[in-house]
Amino acid sequence: MDFVNFILGLLKDPRAAIAGWIIALGPVWVYTPLFLIVFIETGLVFFPFLPGDSLLFAAGVFSADGGGLNLFVTLAVFYVAAILGNTSNYWIARFFGSRIIDSGKVKALTPERMAKLDDFFERFGGLTIVITRFMPFFRTFAPFIAGTGHMNFGKFTLFNAVGGIAWVSLFVLVGYFFGGVPFVQDHFEVIVLGIVAVSVAPAVIGAVKTMMAGRKGGAKRGKHAR
């Protein structure tokens, strides 16, 4: 229950969490939980719900002058966490992917999401790793699916680096440049929830389209049966 409350609090207001870590851990060790959260979200298929986008944005806010974090260190830590996380996910899938999928223990790894990612790989190839960086849940599962046989490691590494750097840079720098705006400061929680909503939107839209397509297919089969 404590873990659930921690995740909910982090989702709602990552600014408060980072402020607490800066005070408790100091200017050096504060990067440890930041690194771990991004690494775990991208590196372990069991934790796709961790708040990557909003955490990057909030860390960017604290990387501005007087915020307690250093912009270049923040970017470097997140770059390494994002790239190593995906790499870990890839190799977990390479060695244990079929067993994890067959076990059914990863409830979020639904057949619909796997089919969607299969379609992404067929349409976009390696760019799937870049595109899904900006899509919660899918960014956790894309390197896993790649590791099950969709992509060789050299090609994966190239797109992994490009996607990781682009994702981290976007959210951290937006927080860095715009986090000090009074409107952002006054409505920080609402803006964070907006970031989460916009990030999740493509996955929700894709799920709705898949569901509607399934219903239409079922209706057509019903007509033919008559």
Side-chain angles (χ1 to χ4, degrees):
M1 192 63 183
D2 288 341
F3 178 72
V4 173
N5 290 332
F6 168 75
I7 297 301
L8 290 176
L10 200 56
L11 283 167
K12 182 181 179 183
D13 190 4
R15 182 173 58 174
I18 295 175
W21 295 335
I22 291 173
I23 295 170
L25 300 175
V28 176
W29 289 104
V30 65
Y31 294 101
T32 301
L34 298 176
F35 174 92
L36 287 174
I37 290 171
V38 171
F39 176 83
I40 291 171
E41 186 208 3
T42 57
L44 299 179
V45 73
F46 300 99
F47 295 98
F49 47 81
L50 291 177
D53 298 338
S54 56
L55 184 73
L56 296 179
F57 175 77
V61 174
F62 280 95
S63 297
D65 291 341
L69 300 180
N70 178 278
L71 176 63
F72 299 105
V73 176
T74 300
L75 287 170
V77 166
F78 281 140
Y79 289 154
V80 174
I83 293 170
L84 287 184
N86 263 20
T87 302
S88 170
N89 206 336
Y90 178 94
W91 285 108
I92 288 172
R94 179 64 67 90
F95 289 112
F96 308 107
S98 59
R99 275 182 273 178
I100 291 173
I101 292 170
D102 293 341
S103 71
K105 291 182 178 179
V106 184
K107 303 301 182 183
L109 195 59
T110 62
E112 291 79 14
R113 287 198 179 108
M114 293 178 66
K116 185 71 173 178
L117 284 168
D118 285 336
D119 181 58
F120 261 111
F121 276 109
E122 289 179 9
R123 292 171 59 191
F124 303 111
L127 283 175
T128 299
I129 302 300
V130 178
I131 294 168
T132 54
R133 274 289 189 181
F134 300 89
M135 302 168 65
F137 286 90
F138 286 108
R139 71 166 152 260
T140 302
F141 300 134
F144 184 86
I145 299 299
T148 61
H150 280 78
M151 195 179 300
N152 68 64
F153 184 62
K155 184 178 180 181
F156 170 81
T157 299
L158 172 62
F159 287 104
N160 178 26
V162 171
I165 291 171
W167 176 56
V168 168
S169 297
L170 174 64
F171 283 99
V172 170
L173 292 178
V174 167
Y176 177 82
F177 286 112
F178 298 102
V181 175
F183 178 84
V184 176
Q185 291 288 336
D186 294 339
H187 302 87
F188 192 84
E189 291 186 13
V190 175
I191 289 173
V192 165
L193 291 175
I195 291 172
V196 173
V198 170
S199 300
V200 171
V204 174
I205 292 170
V208 171
K209 285 183 177 179
T210 301
M211 183 175 65
M212 295 299 291
R215 288 182 178 178
K216 287 181 180 178
K220 288 181 179 178
R221 286 192 295 270
K223 288 181 180 179
H224 288 310
R226 291 174 189 172

